[in-house]
Amino acid sequence: MLAAGIQARSAVLSTIELSPIWHPSPNFGERRDGLTPSLIVIHYTAMGSAQAALERLCDPKAEVSAHYLIGNDGTLWQMVREEDRAWHAGAGEWDGKNDINSRSIGIELDNTGLHPFSEPQMTTLETLLPRIMNTWSILASGVIGHSDMAPDRKSDPGPHFDWQRLERQALARPRGSDIASASPSPGEFRAAARRAGFTAPVEDTQLLAAVRLRFRPWAKGPLETADLNALTQPNTTT
Ligand SMILES: [Zn+2]
C-alpha cells in the first residue's frame, strides 16, 4: 500500500511538472552566441493578479516575458519555450557574465512583493526547478534572484521569499554558517560577494542590500560579520 501511495503521489507530481498551461508570449528571441541556460532567475510579478501578469507578459507593447509564471494558487503557465530567450532579466551581471537572458530560464511568481509566497506556489516551484535543472544541467548555485544580478535596479523576489527552503532541498546555493569572527571590511565583503557571483558594478550599500535580500532580509544597519559568513559556502561543489 505504501508503494502504491508513493507511486500515486509521484504520478501527481509528474503531471504537475509536465503539464504547464501553454500561453505563448510573442516577446522572445534566439539565445545569442549559441548560449544555453546555466541560470534560473526567480522574480515576483509585483502585480495584483496572475491574470494581469499573464496579459502583460504576453503583450507585444510591454516587451517583457518569462518562461514560466506560477500563480498564487500553484497554477503553472509557460509562455516561452526553454530553448528560446525570454525577456525577463534586463541589464545586469552575475558571476562576471552579462546577457543573463541568453543564459537563463526566467520564472515569475505571482506576488505583489508585500506578502509571503503561498504553499501551493512554492510546491509548484519546487517541482519545476528540479526538472529545469536536470534538463540543462544547472547547479543549485545557478538558481538566483533578479536582485542578485541587478542590485541597483531590482529587489525581487524580495525579503518574503524563502530561500532557505530551497537551500534545504539543494535547489539554491547553501548559505555559510553564522559563526562570528572579526568584523569584515567592505573590501573583504566585496571580494566574498564576487566569489559568490555578485559581480554587478554597484555601490557598497547596494551590494550589501542585495546580499541581505538573498540571505539575511531581516538584517539592518552597517555591514557585520554575519553578512560575510553567509557568503562563505559550506560546500563549494554545489
Ligand atoms: Zn524581476
Side-chain angles (χ1 to χ4, degrees):
M1 288 307 289
L2 184 61
I6 289 166
Q7 213 167 26
R9 183 163 176 273
S10 62
V12 169
L13 285 175
S14 68
T15 304
I16 292 169
E17 70 180 335
L18 293 173
S19 304
I21 300 167
W22 177 240
H23 190 287
S25 170
N27 303 331
F28 70 93
E30 274 186 32
R31 294 183 184 275
R32 294 173 185 156
D33 303 324
L35 289 166
T36 55
S38 55
L39 299 169
I40 298 171
V41 182
I42 296 177
H43 305 259
Y44 60 54
T45 57
M47 294 188 76
S49 70
Q51 205 56 43
L54 202 55
E55 280 170 28
R56 179 170 154 75
L57 293 164
C58 296
D59 178 356
K61 290 194 288 292
E63 297 190 334
V64 292
S65 63
H67 294 89
Y68 295 100
L69 168 68
I70 304 176
N72 188 56
D73 65 357
T75 302
L76 175 65
W77 289 274
Q78 181 168 8
M79 293 159 285
V80 176
R81 297 187 320 150
E82 291 185 6
E83 291 82 352
D84 291 325
R85 181 178 181 274
W87 303 342
H88 59 96
E93 181 179 318
W94 181 253
D95 201 17
K97 300 181 181 76
N98 52 26
D99 190 6
I100 303 300
N101 281 338
S102 283
R103 304 174 188 279
S104 67
I105 300 286
I107 302 175
E108 289 278 358
L109 302 176
D110 166 32
N111 184 293
T112 60
L114 303 173
H115 57 84
F117 295 76
S118 74
E119 183 60 37
Q121 188 176 46
M122 290 301 288
T123 299
T124 299
L125 178 64
E126 289 160 357
T127 308
L128 177 63
L129 281 175
R131 190 191 79 164
I132 301 171
M133 292 163 82
N134 284 340
T135 301
W136 300 99
S137 302
I138 297 173
L139 303 174
S141 57
V143 180
I144 65 172
H146 201 185
S147 59
D148 293 340
M149 51 135 304
D152 52 343
R153 296 189 303 118
K154 296 292 174 181
S155 56
D156 58 316
H160 299 290
F161 187 73
D162 191 351
W163 281 106
Q164 293 193 64
R165 178 171 164 156
L166 295 191
E167 290 168 33
R168 284 195 294 273
Q169 300 170 73
L171 299 175
R173 178 190 198 274
R175 66 197 52 220
S177 73
D178 213 354
I179 299 165
S181 63
S183 294
S185 71
E188 274 179 281
F189 177 68
R190 185 169 287 270
R194 287 190 69 82
R195 284 195 295 275
F198 291 85
T199 55
V202 294
E203 300 189 357
D204 286 350
T205 50
Q206 291 172 327
L207 181 63
L208 178 59
V211 170
R212 282 182 172 173
L213 272 177
R214 171 63 178 79
F215 292 108
R216 311 182 64 236
W218 54 86
K220 299 212 176 353
L223 177 66
E224 56 193 9
T225 304
D227 298 313
L228 181 67
N229 288 346
L231 288 163
T232 311
Q233 204 166 187
N235 178 357
T236 53
T237 59
T238 51

